[in-house]
Amino acid sequence: MSFATLRLAVRVLWRRKVFTAISLFGVTFTLLVLVLVSALLDGLLAPRPPESNADRTLAIVHARMVGENMRSSGPPGLGLLEPLFRDLPGDPIVSMQIQARTEAAWVDGAKHPVEIMRTDGAFWSAHDFRFLEGRPFGSDEDASGAAVAVISKYARDSLFGGAAADGRTFELDGRAFRVVGVVDDVSSLRMRSFAEAWLPLGSLPGAPDRTALIGNFTGIVIARKEADIEPLRAELAARAARIPLGQSQYTSLEVPIERQAQAIARELIGADPGDGDPVRRIRVGVIVLSLAFMLLPALNLVTLTMSRVLERAPEIGVRKAFGATRGQLVAQFVVENVLLTLLGGLLALALAPLVMAAIASSLLGIGPGLSVSVSVLLQGLAFAVVFGVLSGAWPAWRMSRLPPIEALRGRSG
Amino acid sequence: MIELRGVTKLYRTDRIETVALEDLDLTIGYGEFVAVMGPSGCGKSTLLNLMGLLDEPTRGSVAVGGRPITFGSDAALARLRNESIGFVFQSFHLVPDLTVLDNVEIPLLYRKGTASERRRTALAAIERVGLASRAHHLPSQLSGGQQQRAAVARAIVGKPRLLLADEPTGNLDSRMGDEILALLQGLNADGATVVMVTHDTRLADSAHRIVRLFDGRQVQ
């Protein structure tokens, strides 16, 4: 592509302002939606604070027991996770949680719904929360069942009107919990760490069932380095295979040991562990859906491009008369379209943070997890180029086939 | 330089068939300056389009430089048009989005050369037609005569061996018409073959030979 082609493309777009404005609106809107979808996926799957170690994390979030004519499945229980996690080689960080669920917290007689996660002391080493006040609770406090809590900034605003919360208490299930730390809000897209308040597992009322293989826990193992992941996965799988099923009627136990992104992707699409790489399936699905989503605006842009190209039939005739080949003409019109869609892509990327901020304020929780990362940026620009080529190639190819004399007479063939 | 043998050109619509040229034999040698004359609708422009490989004969053959032309090959035709043929169209056909300079550069875009070389060559051609002060104007900012001169500059910028001009002085006053004619004669003196469609007898008289057409046939 020569500079002359690019300059002509800019001039053509500038001179046909109405066409450019209408096309840009369609392109920008389409690409904005795609950028938001990309950002959503990125927010779910990419390593991002507080789950900065996500790419070195193995997650055990599902177990299935199968017997003759019966099966039972769900999150793992302590009877499964404790023997899996005990003295693992390579000194990984291991942590167990009960996923966040809404519970009623009381402050000064007022009820506040709060997303509460129960977890252990290692949880705070596994993730990198940003503490605004205080400190995390420790393993000793978990072991002793201390009624302490770390809360999010949002929970501090909700429970204590935004005032300093370190040392203050709220009531849960008739028990007073003392706030020991306040952290920055976590996006609900961060499925392994999201909550508005984190309480020690030991603070749960009643003694936990340490024998249940299926329960309501999830477990994570964070390898110290990438090279440790596969040996750890093998060790965990071997341990899972040795876990006795006891007197139950079940004959086998299936425990997927997956990288965190895979586990989340599988949960999202509800796939079985043996169904292939769920992250790849999601990415392929998103690409297919994105192409389908782009199809209608692309067809619209094809129509607009066609009318723009028709208007310029004499120019095509002149260029052919002076030696342009079909390929050179197609390249010229495709460059014009790609320039338009790239412009739309850049506009979409510029607007995306504003829309994300609007989402953050209206759909609380998701917001902090959405951002235009480098990968989202690259995907957005790739979408723009594909869109431009898709919508420009056919009209350009059709017009380039016109005999020069027909084109000079302004006929479309 | 160019040879037409038994060339017939028909234009067909659903119900009407129009004969634009019929069984025409014409040879134009290297370095000739030929004027094509005839009443409106006699096939002058069609003849020029066929010689310029812009259109395909319904019957008959066209040869350029001794080589018969196969109209199916886009790349070969494009190369031949680019390297050997220059056009001055009756209605100029300047690209409205481009300045005079950019319009004149068009033939050079499809051959080797740097941007600065293209610019230099195009400016020299523009200067040659006396339009240097309008090089950065858009066609819409030019008079008819100036547009005609820009079209001539575009036709000669690539130093074609065959220059086809359809009424190249039609929109010019007599002084500018003479200048353009002198320009074409200069190119012809440098070795280019010139074929010019004109209604102007005075202009035609300055050519080496006049080809007269009537109802699609050569009459002289």
Side-chain angles (χ1 to χ4, degrees):
Chain A
M1 179 184 66
S2 69
F3 180 65
T5 311
L6 200 61
R7 199 175 46 185
L8 174 64
V10 171
R11 281 197 188 144
V12 166
L13 295 178
W14 182 247
R15 272 173 67 88
R16 290 166 172 76
K17 292 185 185 72
V18 175
F19 161 82
T20 305
I22 292 171
S23 306
L24 261 184
F25 176 77
V27 171
T28 305
F29 180 76
T30 306
L31 294 177
L32 182 60
V33 173
L34 293 177
V35 164
L36 289 176
V37 170
S38 292
L40 195 66
L41 269 185
D42 205 52
L44 272 166
L45 303 176
R48 196 73 76 67
E51 296 175 14
S52 302
N53 300 321
D55 52 352
R56 283 186 287 116
T57 302
L58 291 170
I60 297 108
V61 298
H62 188 81
R64 182 161 68 176
M65 293 195 294
V66 181
E68 200 177 342
N69 303 324
M70 59 195 297
R71 60 177 55 190
S72 169
S73 64
L78 287 179
L80 172 58
L81 290 179
E82 284 183 340
L84 283 188
F85 286 178
R86 199 169 296 129
D87 301 326
L88 277 169
D91 192 27
I93 301 169
V94 294
S95 172
M96 288 183 273
Q97 317 58 59
I98 296 172
Q99 291 298 101
R101 62 187 179 124
T102 310
E103 295 184 43
W106 298 82
V107 175
D108 298 334
K111 182 181 168 185
H112 303 273
V114 180
E115 291 287 329
I116 291 190
M117 173 185 272
R118 311 272 179 164
T119 187
D120 52 20
F123 178 79
W124 304 104
S125 318
H127 302 300
D128 55 348
F129 285 89
R130 194 165 80 89
F131 274 81
L132 306 174
E133 288 181 47
R135 58 168 178 85
F137 54 77
S139 298
D140 49 342
E141 286 169 306
D142 176 31
S144 66
V148 290
V150 173
I151 63 171
S152 71
K153 184 169 164 290
Y154 174 77
R156 179 177 69 181
D157 292 346
S158 165
L159 295 173
F160 306 112
D166 190 9
R168 297 186 68 171
T169 58
F170 62 88
E171 205 171 300
L172 193 78
D173 290 335
R175 194 173 173 195
F177 282 81
R178 182 169 53 86
V179 175
V180 295
V182 178
V183 294
D184 230 349
D185 290 333
V186 178
S187 166
S188 59
L189 297 176
R190 307 312 322 192
M191 290 169 71
R192 296 283 88 85
S193 57
F194 166 73
E196 290 159 3
W198 295 262
L199 275 51
L201 279 168
S203 66
L204 273 170
D209 180 355
R210 296 196 175 276
T211 60
L213 299 178
I214 304 286
N216 56 353
F217 289 82
T218 56
I220 53 171
V221 178
I222 299 179
R224 294 287 172 186
K225 52 186 189 292
E226 172 68 30
D228 291 349
I229 293 179
E230 286 313 313
L232 266 174
R233 191 210 297 268
E235 173 66 21
L236 286 164
R239 288 187 181 192
R242 289 198 298 268
I243 288 177
L245 293 171
Q247 300 299 315
S248 74
Q249 294 161 304
Y250 297 103
T251 53
S252 70
L253 172 68
E254 295 164 7
V255 186
I257 317 282
E258 298 169 298
R259 285 183 184 249
Q260 176 167 314
Q262 287 176 315
I264 290 172
R266 198 172 45 71
E267 281 176 81
L268 280 179
I269 58 177
D272 274 342
D275 286 351
D277 185 351
V279 175
R280 177 175 293 186
R281 283 179 64 187
I282 283 192
R283 295 222 182 273
V284 169
V286 165
I287 288 170
V288 170
L289 284 176
S290 299
L291 286 175
F293 180 69
M294 273 197 280
L295 194 62
L296 197 62
L299 284 176
N300 186 37
L301 195 57
V302 164
T303 314
L304 283 168
T305 306
M306 200 69 210
S307 68
R308 177 168 57 96
V309 175
L310 282 177
E311 202 182 295
R312 291 166 65 194
E315 178 190 334
I316 292 170
V318 167
R319 288 182 182 275
K320 283 197 146 190
F322 285 105
T325 59
R326 278 180 211 153
Q328 286 164 326
L329 288 170
V330 169
Q332 182 191 328
F333 284 105
V334 168
V335 163
E336 284 179 22
N337 256 45
V338 168
L339 188 73
L340 182 74
T341 52
L342 268 180
L343 203 60
L346 290 175
L347 267 175
L349 287 169
L351 288 174
L354 303 177
V355 177
M356 287 170 189
I359 291 174
S361 63
S362 58
L363 294 172
L364 193 92
I366 288 182
L370 289 178
S371 65
V372 180
S373 65
V374 173
S375 101
V376 170
L377 185 83
L378 292 177
Q379 282 180 56
L381 294 179
F383 281 137
V385 171
V386 170
F387 196 23
V389 173
L390 263 182
S391 58
W394 184 74
W397 178 82
R398 201 181 138 192
M399 290 307 287
S400 74
R401 293 180 63 81
L402 269 187
I405 196 66
E406 296 291 321
L408 281 167
R409 286 173 185 152
R411 291 183 191 164
S412 57
Chain B
M1 174 75 219
I2 190 153
E3 197 174 345
L4 281 74
R5 284 284 160 265
V7 165
T8 296
K9 181 67 189 178
L10 305 174
Y11 291 110
R12 292 191 180 99
T13 61
D14 289 345
R15 283 181 292 179
I16 303 167
E17 185 176 88
T18 309
V19 182
L21 285 176
E22 191 170 6
D23 200 21
L24 186 79
D25 291 316
L26 182 65
T27 303
I28 292 171
Y30 285 99
E32 267 201 284
F33 192 138
V34 176
V36 180
M37 297 193 77
S40 293
C42 70
K44 300 186 298 292
S45 295
T46 302
L47 175 63
L48 221 58
N49 292 335
L50 290 171
M51 286 197 282
L53 315 179
L54 297 183
D55 209 355
E56 195 174 344
T58 312
R59 282 192 294 275
S61 65
V62 179
V64 176
R67 281 189 307 173
I69 300 302
T70 313
F71 281 87
S73 167
D74 173 64
L77 280 179
R79 192 168 169 189
L80 202 53
R81 288 189 204 116
N82 181 248
E83 291 177 351
S84 303
I85 304 171
F87 293 90
V88 181
F89 298 105
Q90 193 175 2
S91 47
F92 326 130
H93 285 312
L94 295 171
V95 180
D97 294 312
L98 300 181
T99 62
V100 169
L101 182 59
D102 290 330
N103 264 289
V104 173
E105 267 191 36
I106 286 176
L108 307 176
L109 292 174
Y110 306 115
R111 55 174 73 173
K112 283 181 183 160
T114 63
S116 61
E117 283 167 359
R118 280 202 302 270
R119 194 121 290 221
R120 223 176 16 252
T121 313
L123 280 170
I126 292 169
E127 226 163 278
R128 206 165 168 189
V129 299
L131 214 56
S133 61
R134 296 282 185 271
H136 298 286
H137 286 57
L138 289 169
S140 57
Q141 297 166 320
L142 304 179
S143 69
Q146 287 169 330
Q147 291 187 40
Q148 184 78 296
R149 280 188 278 159
V152 172
R154 185 178 58 188
I156 65 173
V157 72
K159 296 188 171 50
R161 285 183 294 149
L162 174 63
L163 187 71
L164 302 169
D166 198 350
E167 307 242 18
T169 61
N171 295 284
L172 305 179
D173 58 30
S174 61
R175 189 181 65 81
M176 190 47 71
D178 288 344
E179 280 181 26
I180 292 295
L181 179 63
L183 196 69
L184 296 180
Q185 285 172 325
L187 288 166
N188 180 238
D190 290 343
T193 306
V194 179
V195 180
M196 171 179 70
V197 166
T198 184
H199 282 108
D200 189 333
T201 322
R202 193 174 60 88
L203 239 60
D205 286 342
S206 63
H208 300 159
R209 179 154 66 106
I210 299 176
V211 172
R212 291 185 194 278
L213 295 179
F214 188 79
D215 279 353
R217 289 174 175 275
Q218 190 175 351
V219 293
Q220 189 182 328

